[in-house]
Amino acid sequence: MAKYELEKLEMRKAYSSTLDELINEDKRVFVLEADLAEAISTNSIAKTNKENYINCGIMESNMVGVASGLSLVGDIPFIHTFSPFATRRDFDQVFLSGAYAKTNIKILGSDPGIYAQHNGGTHTSFEDIALMRTIPTAVVMSISDTTMMKNILRQIKDSYGIHYLSAVRKGSYKLYDESEKFKIGKGKVLREGKDLTIVACGIMVVEALKAADILKEEGIEVTVIDMFTIKPIDKELILKYAKQTKGFVTAENHNIIGGLGSAVAEILVENYPVPLRRVGVEDRFGQVGTLDYLQKEYKLTAEEILKKAKELL
């Protein structure tokens, strides 16, 4: 069985260091915070590039308005706050001042789902992907590791429009080496197998790989796809494996309603129906807890993926 190790570089450090580089390369790039600079490590940018750093305070909706204004004068704003505040609280502003007004805003919603941990239910977002998927023209992604974060930040800097990234702040697993390339809208096939397909995103990619290892020992070959872009989703790749394997399991740190599982189901049912099982949060609110406790409580584990996979065999 493969070993899965936590990255030495935190996701927040990858985010802040890449934005610092982007500002040095292009002074149109601005970093906006809702009083969470230390939490996401952009406090360093307040020193190295203070003219391109704006702390909007704990006024997340206003931060979207400021970002819209910057966009209208030709700048490229990157904004960050915890995922429920970047989506649930800011939804109207992102919809109207963002997408409807055709402005150019890059949004990071950090610590989605169970990663809220001790911040509890008020700070838990099991619906961020679902909300952002409904905004016309918005691009929606779930970032798996720091290599992907750095690569995608550079890509969206030069891609006009609303881009939403969902990512943890600290402990992610190393999935890709620094030479890996990513194309927005295209999934990454991490493992090939003829029996089943597991489509995962974010923190659930490593759980999918763990489940695939266990299944391999039992003689079951599984394809594992990191579907990091959830909108626009890779329809071509989904249909390819729908025709090659016996069924799909989706896995996400999100409500099973409206997220990755729903997006995959929409493609399958309209084009090539095959059996599907979804691993995710089953229509529940968040709660206080450690990461290990919450992962088991909400069944966001390799064991649950394994269980769902065996239902299809």
Side-chain angles (χ1 to χ4, degrees):
M1 235 189 259
K3 291 183 179 180
Y4 304 97
E5 297 181 354
L6 288 172
E7 296 196 89
K8 294 179 181 179
L9 178 66
E10 292 182 335
M11 191 75 81
R12 60 182 179 175
K13 296 292 186 181
Y15 176 75
S16 61
S17 63
T18 304
L19 289 187
D20 208 19
E21 292 171 5
L22 290 176
I23 293 170
N24 289 335
E25 296 165 11
D26 188 341
K27 291 303 181 182
R28 295 177 301 161
V29 174
F30 277 78
V31 174
L32 280 64
E33 285 293 339
D35 219 24
L36 288 173
E38 188 171 347
I40 199 66
S41 294
T42 53
N43 49 345
S44 61
I45 298 176
K47 299 174 183 177
T48 57
N49 278 296
K50 63 181 181 179
E51 297 299 322
N52 291 69
Y53 174 86
I54 303 172
N55 182 5
C56 296
I58 308 174
M59 295 180 285
E60 296 88 355
S61 297
N62 180 63
M63 179 169 64
V64 178
V66 173
S68 177
L70 288 167
S71 170
L72 290 171
V73 297
D75 292 317
I76 307 170
F78 285 77
I79 72 176
H80 160 262
T81 185
F82 294 142
S83 62
F85 311 131
T87 57
R88 200 165 66 216
R89 179 170 295 173
D90 287 356
F91 184 80
D92 194 42
Q93 285 73 30
V94 175
F95 191 102
L96 292 175
S97 298
Y100 187 75
K102 295 182 173 60
T103 55
N104 183 28
I105 306 173
K106 323 304 176 185
I107 305 165
L108 171 63
S110 69
D111 283 355
I114 59 173
Y115 270 74
Q117 298 181 76
H118 294 295
N119 284 327
T122 58
H123 285 53
T124 301
S125 174
F126 290 138
E127 67 290 314
D128 63 323
I129 299 296
L131 286 169
M132 302 307 275
R133 280 184 69 215
T134 66
I135 297 178
T137 73
V139 175
V140 182
M141 288 176 274
S142 180
I143 304 300
S144 308
D145 81 345
T146 59
T147 299
M148 182 185 289
M149 173 64 86
K150 291 183 284 186
N151 184 284
I152 294 299
L153 286 173
R154 288 191 165 276
Q155 287 192 56
I156 66 174
K157 180 256 175 181
D158 295 317
S159 176
Y160 194 93
I162 303 301
H163 294 75
Y164 176 71
L165 309 182
S166 177
V168 303
R169 285 186 301 125
K170 297 181 182 178
S172 60
Y173 285 88
K174 189 66 178 174
L175 295 171
Y176 302 103
D177 63 41
E178 295 302 314
S179 64
E180 193 72 43
K181 303 298 181 184
F182 305 90
K183 185 174 181 180
I184 294 171
K186 295 296 180 182
K188 297 288 290 186
V189 178
L190 302 182
R191 195 163 300 182
E192 291 270 6
K194 63 180 176 57
D195 295 316
L196 294 172
T197 301
I198 304 174
V199 182
C201 64
I203 67 164
M204 295 303 290
V205 174
V206 73
E207 299 300 318
L209 291 169
K210 290 177 184 177
D213 280 340
I214 297 169
L215 289 166
K216 184 177 181 180
E217 291 184 344
E218 299 178 10
I220 301 164
E221 297 178 15
V222 176
T223 292
V224 177
I225 299 172
D226 180 351
M227 194 65 75
F228 67 92
T229 309
I230 302 166
K231 183 189 176 187
I233 199 163
D234 193 343
K235 176 180 176 180
E236 181 181 357
L237 191 64
I238 291 169
L239 294 180
K240 174 184 175 180
Y241 285 96
K243 295 171 183 177
Q244 292 181 6
T245 61
K246 299 171 186 176
F248 274 65
V249 177
T250 60
E252 59 193 312
N253 173 30
H254 188 278
N255 197 325
I256 58 170
I257 300 169
L260 174 65
S262 291
V264 171
E266 289 161 12
I267 298 297
L268 292 175
V269 75
E270 290 183 350
N271 297 276
Y272 198 89
V274 298
L276 168 70
R277 297 291 185 273
R278 294 175 293 166
V279 174
V281 178
E282 297 185 359
D283 202 21
R284 296 175 60 188
F285 291 109
Q287 60 182 294
V288 171
T290 64
L291 186 60
D292 287 345
Y293 169 79
L294 294 171
Q295 193 159 9
K296 293 184 179 77
E297 173 69 16
Y298 291 97
K299 299 180 180 179
L300 303 180
T301 61
E303 290 73 22
E304 188 66 16
I305 296 173
L306 190 64
K307 175 185 171 183
K308 297 289 187 181
K310 288 187 173 182
E311 290 178 6
L312 300 175
L313 296 172

